[in-house]
Structures are given as C-alpha cells and as structure tokens.
Amino acid sequence: MKNKVIQQIPRQEIVENELSKHVTPPINIIPINSHNSELYSGKNYNDVELWMNDKAKAETAQFFPLSFKNPENNDWYLLPWEPMISIEANIILKSQSVASAQKNFSGTIKDRWAQDDYSITITGAFYGQKMRGSYVECYPREDMEKLRDLFLAAEAIQVKCEFLQIYGINKIAIKSMDFPFTKGEYVQAYEIKALSDFDWDLNFTPNKKNTLIVGTLSGDFDRTN
C-alpha cells in the first residue's frame, strides 16, 4: 500500500524544479523517509548524496539570464538561478487646472514633461551546495558576498540581460537590497530595487555668434555724403 501511494505522487524532483522557477524554496512533497538518519550521523556529508542540492543553472540553461559587472574589478557575475525581473515605466506629466463654465468639461490639461527612470525589481533566491550540514556547507555565502560588493559600489552597475535590453537598459543604480527570512538552512531569498541609468553629456557649449566679415571698400564714389 505504501509503494502505491508513492507512485501516485508526482516525482519530487519535477515539482521542486517547477517551484524553484518561482523563487520558492524546494518543499519535501513526500513525507516518507526511507533512509535512517542515524546511519549518517557523524559521517562526512561529501559521501552522502541524499542532501546534495541542485547545481546552479548555466547561462545557456536560463531563459533570461542576468549578469552584473562589478566596477571595482570588472568581473561579470551571473546569477546562478534565474530571477524574476519586473520593470515599471512612468511618464512625468505636468497638469494644469483650467477654470471653465462648460458643462461637459472636467479634468486638467496634461503636458508630457519627460520620461522618468525605469524602476526595476529583481527577485530571486540563492541555494547552498547542500540541504543539510554545517553553515559552511549549506549557506550560499559566496553569492551573498557578491551582491554585497555590488551594493557597496559607488558607481553605476553594468548589466547584461535580453529583457532589459528591450528598453535599452545597460546600467542600473541600485537603490536597496532586501534579504528576508527564508525557511531552510540552504536557501536565502533576495530582492533588489534599482533605477535605470543612462549616460548624460552635461558639458554646456554656448552657441557661437555669427560674425559679419566686411571687406575693404574700393571704387570711385562720393565719400562726402
């Protein structure tokens, strides 16, 4: 009876992979443990594949891979698991109220002033090498340190992502990073809020005034008038 119940439940690996696409920590779907945990107590976890986590996704295995370039060392850093990217675009409008006695007139007159920065939200999660073990083995510290270095950089961060390229975004200015509590010793969620950043030429060059060049007068004419 026990084996029939397990066969009716979808494969745990398939379900976990689908959940991981939505930045949800893998959940143990099958509440049946056929391994005796006492057999592994005090043993080296390198010899136990039971607690090994899924490997990071290569750039070619992701749909919209996102990479950051650290301005301090010019190294590119690819997020190991594809995040969710949201873009918000706004237009800055100037509105003017007009006094009117017309019955069917309401609202204001709008003037398109400028286009605002793109607001970008990047949400994802890091997963450690193992699901069970010591802090060094489980927690994704190396990836967290890379995000920390990007946050502390005092320059715009160069990014590489096809989704951002649609809007011409090659650089971002990071506003904040959030690392909420995440259930699981081996998983850490994160959220990055940033604004698009474009190069500007702020050097003011005044317009040159046209100069009329007058030549030397020549010919016979009366100079007394």
Side-chain angles (χ1 to χ4, degrees), residues 6-143:
I6 296 178
Q7 292 176 359
Q8 294 176 357
I9 301 177
R11 291 185 59 187
Q12 181 182 6
E13 181 180 1
I14 298 177
V15 177
E16 288 182 355
N17 289 337
E18 288 298 320
L19 291 175
S20 64
K21 295 179 182 179
H22 302 280
V23 201
T24 305
I27 302 173
N28 189 7
I29 302 298
I30 305 178
I32 301 173
N33 187 4
S34 59
H35 299 275
N36 186 356
S37 59
E38 295 180 358
L39 296 177
Y40 304 107
S41 59
K43 297 291 185 66
N44 186 359
Y45 280 100
N46 292 328
D47 300 330
V48 182
E49 297 183 356
L50 175 65
W51 304 118
M52 293 298 293
N53 200 1
D54 293 337
K55 294 183 179 180
K57 303 297 182 182
E59 185 174 3
T60 55
Q62 300 184 28
F63 190 74
F64 277 136
L66 174 59
S67 299
F68 301 93
K69 187 176 183 180
N70 192 324
E72 301 294 335
N73 51 27
N74 294 326
D75 290 339
W76 284 96
Y77 167 58
L78 171 69
L79 290 177
W81 285 272
E82 184 176 350
M84 294 186 295
I85 305 175
S86 301
I87 300 177
E88 181 182 356
N90 294 305
I91 299 297
I92 301 176
L93 298 176
K94 298 295 183 179
S95 59
Q96 180 68 36
S97 300
V98 178
S100 175
Q102 299 179 15
K103 295 181 179 180
N104 297 327
F105 183 84
S106 62
T108 59
I109 299 177
K110 286 85 175 174
D111 182 21
R112 180 186 172 114
W113 191 258
Q115 179 179 336
D116 202 357
D117 294 320
Y118 291 106
S119 298
I120 305 168
T121 302
I122 305 168
T123 307
F126 294 134
Y127 300 92
Q129 183 179 2
K130 297 179 181 179
M131 294 184 288
R132 293 290 186 276
S134 64
Y135 161 77
V136 178
E137 295 173 315
C138 296
Y139 193 73
R141 176 169 180 171
E142 183 177 353
D143 293 311

Side-chain angles (χ1 to χ4, degrees), residues 135-199:
Y135 161 77
V136 178
E137 295 173 315
C138 296
Y139 193 73
R141 176 169 180 171
E142 183 177 353
D143 293 311
M144 291 290 290
E145 290 177 345
K146 291 183 180 297
L147 283 191
R148 177 204 62 193
D149 295 340
L150 293 174
F151 179 76
L152 296 177
E155 302 178 31
I157 305 298
Q158 190 172 348
V159 293
K160 182 171 59 176
C161 178
E162 289 298 328
F163 182 56
L164 298 178
Q165 276 289 325
I166 297 175
Y167 300 92
I169 302 174
N170 296 313
K171 293 181 180 180
I172 62 173
I174 297 177
K175 292 177 55 181
S176 65
M177 286 188 182
D178 184 25
F179 303 98
F181 170 79
T182 312
K183 184 178 180 181
E185 301 173 355
Y186 59 97
V187 59
Q188 176 62 62
Y190 64 85
E191 183 180 70
I192 304 172
K193 291 186 178 296
L195 296 175
S196 60
D197 189 58
F198 300 97
D199 294 331

Side-chain angles (χ1 to χ4, degrees), residues 194-210:
L195 296 175
S196 60
D197 189 58
F198 300 97
D199 294 331
W200 286 82
D201 186 6
L202 300 179
N203 295 323
F204 176 73
T205 303
N207 295 328
K208 295 182 179 180
K209 295 182 179 180
N210 296 327

